Amino acid sequence: MTIAPEKLTQYDEYVEALDLLDEDSRFEYIIDIGKRADKVAFPAECMDEAHMMHGCMSKVWIVHDMEGDGHNFRGQSDAIIVKGLVSMMTGSFSGLTTAELGELTLDHVRGLNLGALTMQRQVGMMAMLKHMQKLSRISDLAAAN
Amino acid sequence: MNDMNQSANLAGHNVEGAFDVARIRQDFPILGRQIHGKPLVYFDSGASAQKPRAVIDAMTAVLENEYTNVHRGAHYLSQTLTDRYEGVRGTIARFLNAPSEEQIIITRNTTEAINLVAATYGRRFLNKGDGVLISDMEHHANIVPWQLLRDEIGIELKIAPIDDRGVLDLDAYAALLDGNTKLVAMTHCSNVLGTHVPAKEIIGLAHERGIPVLLDGSQSVVHSRIDVQDLDVDFFVFTGHKLYGPTAIGVLYGKAELLAKMPPYQGGGDMIASVTYEKTTYEEPPYRFEAGTPPIVEAIGLGAAIDYVTAIGMDKIMAHEKALLAYATEQLAALGDIRLFGTAPEKAAILSFVQEGIHPFDTAATLDRAGVAVRVGQHCAEPLMARLGVDGTVRASLAMYNTTAEIDVMIEALERARTLFG
Ligand SMILES: Cc1ncc(COP(=O)(O)O)c(C=O)c1O
């Protein structure tokens, strides 16, 4: 099974935009996304231990809800750059089913071609993806019970 | 031949002459690198320092020409390398002004040295209810080994407080010595705040009550002159990689009478006098504490690092770093949006700070874009972060090869961070 292209339009937009930029501009692009994400309210009550992702140099929270059989995610971080990165991840991969999310791999993270970012942050983004995959499975289990 | 290599490497530095940072920089190959198209500004020496050519060459020479195991073979290579390896013990002893090289135990790093003391001295001489006194600005390496001992035998971990500048509260410290305290284990210089702890006073106060003192010299050995006899310290530990030496080698110095009473740490080869299935007798210190094949090449590298630092002169390094610290402190203050943690009157060139309203990670990422390497986060000192009331800081830790021009690069990048995130 492959993921229908129309489900990844936001992801493709990011890929295209980043591709045109040099490293310094990519850095600023991510900051911009982070700042824009700042304007969308993230539920304060969700910035708690339960929604926090561990193992990041800054704090990262991800909330999840369902729309049909698609999973929606929203991310938050106390650092703007990380907020930009987590917004790119949640924006790119919201609306996918559990099975579709399960198909995403490190290649999708690499596809964003965030060359400006250090490996540390690439690993951080992979952790975000894994976290989203985990949330989708947990939610399926909860629905089945 | 190696001695000649070494003097050739050091010949550029006029030992009597002025401190020439440009010349020193040439000794560190990595400082010629570009990061993101910008010259590397390495302000993360507190985590691990860069290596001078003298260290790299000494290690390469051993691997290429002299390598074998030590303490074992009757053959030529083994005897010459054993002599060199043991010679490093002497180099370390002189560097610390230890009375004898037999009091120098080679470990993997500071962490292992502290664990060694906790596991041997601690298990043998501490009992349930005894107190081990540390400070509120310890690296996890000087917290967790004592917590393990607490969980195992029920010692009490006691914490000497610091004030808002990061200065140890000596009155509180003295009061905490009374009662059940049986050992003091304290940082000599904070890796986060840079504070130099008044070690002689601390040791004097402890000794008045018959309490031995361990100093964590991981940072102090890089930024100050160490004399274990003058300090009268009971245990002194440090790690090679922060002192311009290689990783995977550290040092434990101990007073002879304490080491003599301590049981072995790990069992194996090199630490035994004789082994039968019925009974094994152990070597005398230092070998009793050094089971297995030691870090041979790393020891030669550490010896070269100490020779290098000594040839330049610790006093000159200290003067240079003091000037850098003053300049950086002044420039950071001039930005007007910097909260500096650690303002002790006696401190090393370690600057922990946050930009008001900007997450340390965002600051550090912007510095990285400018080629400036700093550390961000909790610096293996979570309890200290809690005491300071922050989640983390940016830490610029300077070394002998840094310059005021590099500080200017950092300041400019901080201004850029203000524009990007402000
Ligand atoms: C004060 C202090 N203690 C202990 C350590 C631990 O050193 P190592 O990891 O080499 O054992 C460090 C280094 O991070 C340090 O700065």
Side-chain angles (χ1 to χ4, degrees):
Chain A
M1 193 187 74
T2 49
I3 305 168
E6 64 273 16
K7 285 195 152 183
L8 291 175
T9 43
Q10 178 65 69
Y11 173 75
D12 291 335
E13 258 174 48
Y14 285 137
V15 171
E16 258 170 58
L18 285 163
D19 201 38
L20 296 172
L21 301 173
D22 65 19
E23 281 210 349
D24 274 325
S25 312
R26 280 181 194 155
F27 185 66
E28 289 172 24
Y29 181 83
I30 295 160
I31 293 169
D32 271 351
I33 293 180
K35 283 184 175 167
R36 257 183 283 142
D38 227 9
K39 302 211 169 76
V40 185
F42 186 89
E45 68 276 14
C46 291
M47 287 169 69
D48 60 4
E49 229 358 77
H51 294 87
M52 192 152 114
M53 245 185 83
H54 287 276
C56 293
M57 269 200 258
S58 60
K59 291 187 180 130
V60 175
W61 299 269
I62 294 181
V63 286
H64 159 274
D65 56 38
M66 295 298 295
E67 202 177 312
D69 62 351
H71 297 273
N72 279 334
F73 301 98
R74 261 183 308 157
Q76 171 69 310
S77 171
D78 48 356
I80 303 256
I81 292 174
V82 181
K83 196 178 303 185
L85 296 174
V86 73
S87 301
M88 286 176 79
M89 294 301 283
T90 55
S92 291
F93 304 129
S94 278
L96 301 184
T97 64
T98 309
E100 287 166 338
L101 281 165
E103 280 187 40
L104 299 172
T105 66
L106 181 59
D107 286 340
H108 289 87
V109 177
R110 287 216 186 99
L112 288 168
N113 197 16
L114 292 168
L117 301 177
T118 62
M119 201 51 207
Q120 174 85 37
R121 275 170 262 160
Q122 288 237 12
V123 171
M125 291 180 81
M126 195 56 211
M128 289 173 197
L129 176 57
K130 290 216 169 113
H131 191 68
M132 286 157 63
Q133 290 169 330
K134 189 173 103 190
L135 290 177
S136 73
R137 290 193 305 268
I138 290 173
S139 121
D140 283 4
L141 278 177
N145 283 333
Chain B
M1 192 197 111
N2 282 292
D3 290 342
M4 270 176 62
N5 273 346
Q6 207 152 324
S7 40
N9 275 325
L10 297 173
H13 303 285
N14 181 350
V15 177
E16 299 302 319
F19 184 89
D20 183 351
V21 69
R23 181 165 253 164
I24 284 168
R25 289 179 67 80
Q26 285 172 6
D27 293 337
F28 291 80
I30 202 171
L31 297 181
R33 263 203 73 168
Q34 305 247 312
I35 303 291
H36 308 308
K38 320 257 171 28
L40 166 65
V41 173
Y42 191 72
F43 283 176
D44 199 18
S45 301
S48 205
Q50 297 298 349
K51 319 305 171 201
R53 177 66 70 197
V55 169
I56 300 166
D57 286 353
M59 293 174 75
T60 309
V62 171
L63 289 167
E64 286 185 351
N65 283 312
E66 298 169 61
Y67 186 74
T68 181
N69 209 330
V70 293
H71 300 151
R72 300 184 186 194
H75 56 84
Y76 176 82
L77 283 178
S78 179
Q79 285 178 3
T80 42
L81 193 56
T82 300
D83 284 349
R84 282 199 71 193
Y85 173 80
E86 287 301 325
V88 171
R89 224 186 274 281
T91 304
I92 298 166
R94 284 189 295 281
F95 183 63
L96 300 178
N97 194 30
S100 151
E101 58 189 62
E102 279 157 19
Q103 292 165 256
I104 303 298
I105 295 153
I106 305 285
T107 65
R108 271 194 305 140
N109 45 37
T110 289
T111 304
E112 188 181 52
I114 296 174
N115 275 284
L116 191 162
V117 174
T120 59
Y121 182 88
R123 279 208 200 117
R124 173 71 50 101
F125 297 106
L126 299 178
N127 297 301
K128 188 173 164 58
D130 286 349
V132 173
L133 179 55
I134 66 172
S135 81
D136 208 2
M137 52 182 167
E138 300 303 327
H139 188 282
H140 295 163
N142 195 34
I143 301 174
V144 184
W146 308 114
Q147 288 177 325
L148 290 173
L149 200 61
R150 176 180 67 190
D151 297 345
E152 189 185 323
I153 64 173
I155 60 153
E156 184 196 350
L157 192 58
K158 300 168 82 174
I159 318 292
I162 55 172
D163 69 17
D164 290 338
R165 297 168 302 164
V167 175
L168 188 76
D169 180 340
L170 269 183
D171 292 337
Y173 165 78
L176 282 162
L177 285 172
D178 292 327
N180 62 347
T181 299
K182 292 286 159 45
L183 179 70
V184 172
M186 198 167 288
T187 188
H188 196 194
C189 174
S190 160
N191 63 311
V192 177
L193 304 173
T195 310
H196 285 300
V197 165
K200 269 185 109 159
E201 277 178 86
I202 281 171
I203 293 163
L205 286 164
H207 284 180
E208 280 169 18
R209 296 157 175 87
I211 302 168
V213 177
L214 175 149
L215 284 181
D216 174 356
S218 303
Q219 301 290 339
S220 67
V221 83
V222 186
H223 301 295
S224 61
R225 194 178 271 291
I226 305 297
D227 182 334
V228 291
Q229 294 188 70
D230 182 52
L231 287 169
D232 197 23
V233 67
D234 301 276
F235 297 107
F236 185 90
V237 302
F238 74 92
T239 199
H241 64 98
K242 295 182 205 276
L243 187 61
Y244 310 100
T247 50
I249 182 158
V251 170
L252 164 64
Y253 158 83
K255 280 193 179 159
E257 63 271 26
L258 292 176
L259 295 179
K261 292 191 296 190
M262 280 155 52
Y265 177 44
Q266 296 173 326
D270 261 14
M271 52 77 72
I272 41 80
S274 90
V275 177
T276 64
Y277 287 121
E278 290 70 37
K279 183 173 170 55
T280 290
T281 52
Y282 305 116
E283 272 282 13
E284 295 297 313
Y287 305 108
R288 186 190 299 165
F289 306 104
E290 296 178 351
T293 297
I296 303 164
V297 183
E298 290 78 4
I300 304 296
L302 179 58
I306 291 174
D307 286 343
Y308 181 80
V309 167
T310 309
I312 288 171
M314 188 50 92
D315 292 338
K316 288 181 198 160
I317 294 171
M318 285 163 64
H320 175 69
E321 290 181 352
K322 193 173 173 188
L324 288 179
L325 174 66
Y327 184 73
T329 307
E330 184 190 295
Q331 294 299 308
L332 284 173
L335 285 175
D337 66 346
I338 299 288
R339 195 166 151 218
L340 185 66
F341 299 94
T343 51
E346 297 296 326
K347 68 170 278 192
I350 295 173
L351 300 114
S352 270
F353 61 88
V354 295
Q355 286 185 288
E356 296 292 353
I358 301 180
H359 194 280
F361 185 86
D362 288 328
T363 301
T366 311
L367 292 177
D368 177 59
R369 293 301 315 159
V372 183
V374 293
R375 184 152 177 198
V376 61
Q378 305 185 320
H379 318 294
C380 298
E382 269 186 64
L384 174 57
M385 292 295 133
R387 163 68 179 82
L388 300 173
V390 284
D391 284 343
T393 69
V394 177
R395 181 188 70 179
S397 51
L398 311 188
M400 66 158 109
Y401 39 64
N402 291 127
T403 65
T404 52
E406 290 182 308
I407 293 168
D408 293 340
V409 173
M410 175 175 80
I411 296 294
E412 219 175 280
L414 290 172
E415 283 168 345
R416 173 151 168 75
R418 174 56 58 202
T419 322
L420 284 171
F421 299 102

